Each structure stands twice: as structure tokens, then as C-alpha cells.
Amino acid sequence: MNKRIKELADAALIPFKDENSFECHHFSKELFAELIVRECIDTVLDCSIEYTTRPRIAQELKEHFGVEE
């Protein structure tokens, strides 16, 4: 698995305590997906394509995946 994907998957683990007060983690698929989309947006904004095109591509990604600011 790609190192960055692993880091994003780890960031999508939400800690909670179970009924015996043991610390557990819930993997949030929604958060994981959002983190990936945000990573894509950041990558587009950092790439070397025409300056005026990058914000439009980032906005298209946000709208397509329903990611809010």
C-alpha cells in the first residue's frame, strides 16, 4: 500500500471507548474518502498546470465529491 494512503487510512481511525472502557478505533469510510479527495485537491492546486485552471479543477473535484471547505 502507498505510504500516503496508509497515513490517510490511519487518520480515518476514530478512537472511542467500548462498554468495558477499552480504547478502540472505528474506521470512518466517509472521513477516509474525504481525506483522499482533499489530497487530490491539494495536489491539483500544487501542480504546474496553468494558474487559472487549477482553482477550477479543484472546485470541480469539490463539487463532484461533495467536499465542503
Side-chain angles (χ1 to χ4, degrees):
M1 179 184 304
N2 177 296
K3 180 183 176 195
R4 186 64 185 135
I5 296 292
K6 173 77 171 107
E7 291 170 353
L8 295 174
D10 289 344
L13 293 173
I14 300 171
F16 69 96
K17 296 214 185 257
D18 69 5
E19 63 275 356
N20 297 316
S21 295
F22 290 109
E23 187 167 320
C24 300
H25 291 86
H26 164 75
F27 180 75
S28 173
K29 295 179 280 191
E30 294 83 6
L31 178 56
F32 182 55
E34 183 173 327
L35 291 170
I36 289 173
V37 172
R38 288 184 184 282
E39 186 89 1
C40 291
I41 291 166
D42 290 344
T43 300
V44 166
L45 291 173
D46 288 343
C47 73
S48 62
I49 60 176
E50 183 182 331
Y51 177 75
T52 57
T53 305
R54 291 182 289 158
R56 182 68 192 139
I57 293 170
Q59 185 61 37
E60 294 267 346
L61 286 168
K62 288 177 190 176
E63 290 173 10
H64 180 77
F65 289 104
V67 174
E68 298 177 13
E69 297 296 318

